[in-house]
Amino acid sequence: MCLGIPMQVLETDGFTARCAGRGEERRVNVMLIEEVPEGGWVLVHLDRAVRSLEAEEVEPLNNALDAILLAARGENVDHLFADLTGKVGA
């Protein structure tokens, strides 16, 4: 299974971008998408940006990725999906 990681563009030359997200920084190929400004967000698969992201998409994506990690360890993930479970503030 291949997962996309939301990453924020720190600097770009139009061909690649230095991006940061989920505790790491890496150089990403951005030639498949329209230009994303510094501070913008991209969804990264295998060191390639596959699409730009709106800022409000980042938190739900990170919550889903966190849930995968927690579920793999057998931990509760309900707090990451309060908007879906109706347990807001739980």
Side-chain angles (χ1 to χ4, degrees):
M1 172 172 48
C2 186
L3 298 173
I5 306 295
M7 300 190 88
Q8 190 168 34
V9 175
L10 303 176
E11 62 183 17
T12 183
D13 61 15
F15 300 104
T16 63
R18 187 170 59 90
C19 297
R22 300 195 58 81
E24 67 174 297
E25 194 174 295
R26 65 171 91 159
R27 179 79 39 198
V28 172
N29 180 318
V30 292
M31 292 174 38
L32 295 176
I33 62 172
E34 292 183 25
E35 189 172 336
V36 177
E38 291 178 11
W41 289 88
V42 292
L43 186 64
V44 177
H45 285 272
L46 300 172
D47 291 332
R48 286 174 175 71
V50 295
R51 76 175 182 93
S52 59
L53 295 171
E54 298 296 324
E56 59 270 5
E57 294 178 281
V58 175
E59 183 180 5
L61 286 170
N62 276 322
N63 284 347
L65 293 169
D66 290 343
I68 291 168
L69 294 172
L70 291 172
R73 294 192 303 238
E75 297 180 32
N76 186 304
V77 299
D78 289 348
H79 65 285
L80 295 170
F81 300 102
D83 59 325
L84 301 175
T85 63
K87 297 178 182 175
V88 177

